[in-house]
Amino acid sequence: CARCKVSIQNLSFYEEQLADIVKDYPTLADMNQTLNKVYILHTLGKLCGKDLHKYEKALGFYNKALEIEETILHSLDDDADPLEIQDWSLRVRNTRKKIGSIHYTSGNFDLALLSSFSS
């Protein structure tokens, strides 16, 4: 199908972009590149989950994004801007919901609840 072919091409493109960012910026020190990495991971998760029905691969991308988001959230200290803390908390919550949605779609209802509402 034509849509699948486009999705596979998009998947390849974003995987290459992710590899470049990981190679050039292996740490989270550059916030712009970290935000790009999280965006690409979410895009890959969406492509795999919604377009290609590769749920395990989608979970891998979303879990990597969640790990980065949680690392940043926990690295913010008490002096951080409350809006920034709220923003990263919301990102973490939304990523957990996406992970829960993938589990739900693949029939893992217990994992869906656990993933969506864990803290």
Side-chain angles (χ1 to χ4, degrees):
C1 89
R3 182 178 173 160
C4 293
K5 186 180 264 188
V6 170
S7 295
I8 290 170
Q9 289 172 342
N10 288 340
L11 180 67
S12 296
F13 171 78
Y14 283 108
E15 285 178 328
E16 289 173 17
Q17 295 297 308
L18 181 62
D20 288 344
I21 288 176
V22 169
K23 180 182 67 168
D24 295 338
Y25 302 94
T27 67
L28 301 180
D30 184 322
M31 186 54 76
N32 285 331
Q33 291 305 321
T34 300
L35 290 171
N36 285 340
K37 186 175 183 179
V38 169
Y39 171 79
I40 290 170
L41 287 166
H42 277 274
T43 302
L44 286 166
K46 182 179 177 184
L47 279 169
C48 288
K50 291 190 177 187
D51 295 342
L52 299 173
H53 307 289
K54 294 183 176 187
Y55 301 122
E56 289 301 315
K57 201 166 184 177
L59 285 172
F61 291 126
Y62 283 134
N63 281 318
K64 286 178 188 174
L66 180 63
E67 182 181 321
I68 293 169
E69 292 164 349
E70 287 179 331
T71 298
I72 292 170
L73 178 61
H74 295 305
S75 73
L76 298 174
D77 56 19
D78 294 335
D79 297 332
D81 180 5
L83 291 176
E84 184 178 14
I85 294 171
Q86 183 179 5
D87 177 56
W88 283 104
S89 295
L90 184 60
R91 287 172 184 260
V92 167
R93 190 174 328 125
N94 286 336
T95 302
R96 285 190 181 131
K97 286 180 182 179
K98 291 175 184 179
I99 291 169
S101 177
I102 296 287
H103 283 304
Y104 182 84
T105 301
S106 57
N108 297 318
F109 303 116
D110 291 342
L111 283 174
L113 284 173
L114 184 65
S115 299
S116 296
F117 298 109
S118 66
S119 56

